[in-house]
């Protein structure tokens, strides 16, 4: 800031008063004062954390009871040999096919 010669302290006073809070804190604690204390940070109280609750157990899902007897790929055609149980006859199912039972 350049100060023209005709400006006086009184004409600059409003600008000097508009010091931010950070600067006011700094200016209020002179660096070389023999009574200067070390900086002590303000410790904010910590709110108690709520007890973590366990998530509810997952819903019981029945695992499909099918038997994979084999897989094959002929060219680009892939299929699986599946049956509902090991005792029933198996069927070749293409990708996306369904099995009943």
């Amino acid at each position: 800031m350049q100060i023209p010669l005709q400006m006086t302290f009184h004409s600059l006073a409003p600008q000097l008063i508009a010091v931010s809070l950070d600067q006011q804190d700094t200016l209020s604690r002179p660096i070389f004062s023999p009574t200067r204390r070390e900086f002590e940070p303000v410790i904010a109280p910590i709110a108690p954390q709520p007890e973590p609750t366990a998530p509810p157990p997952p819903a019981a899902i029945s695992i499909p009871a099918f038997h994979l007897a084999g897989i094959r790929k002929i060219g680009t055609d892939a299929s699986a040999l599946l049956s509902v149980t090991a005792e029933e006859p198996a069927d070749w199912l293409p990708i996306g096919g369904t099995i009943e039972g």
Side-chain angles (χ1 to χ4, degrees):
M1 174 169 150
Q2 293 181 348
I3 302 173
L5 294 177
Q6 61 266 37
M7 289 189 132
T8 63
F9 175 76
H10 297 291
S11 63
L12 290 175
Q15 293 175 359
L16 294 175
I17 292 173
V19 175
S20 71
L21 292 178
D22 293 337
Q23 292 172 341
Q24 286 179 1
D25 290 343
T26 302
L27 295 175
S28 68
R29 296 174 53 99
I31 295 174
F32 300 109
S33 172
T35 60
R36 180 176 171 86
R37 293 175 285 116
E38 289 294 319
F39 176 74
E40 296 176 8
V42 177
I43 300 173
I46 299 173
Q49 297 294 324
E51 287 287 324
T53 57
I61 300 172
S62 62
I63 298 173
F66 61 86
H67 179 72
L68 175 63
I71 56 173
R72 72 176 176 192
K73 184 172 181 183
I74 302 172
T76 59
D77 185 29
S79 57
L81 185 60
L82 293 172
S83 65
V84 176
T85 63
E87 296 81 31
E88 292 187 19
D91 294 320
W92 286 104
L93 295 171
I95 296 175
T98 59
I99 189 169
E100 294 181 22

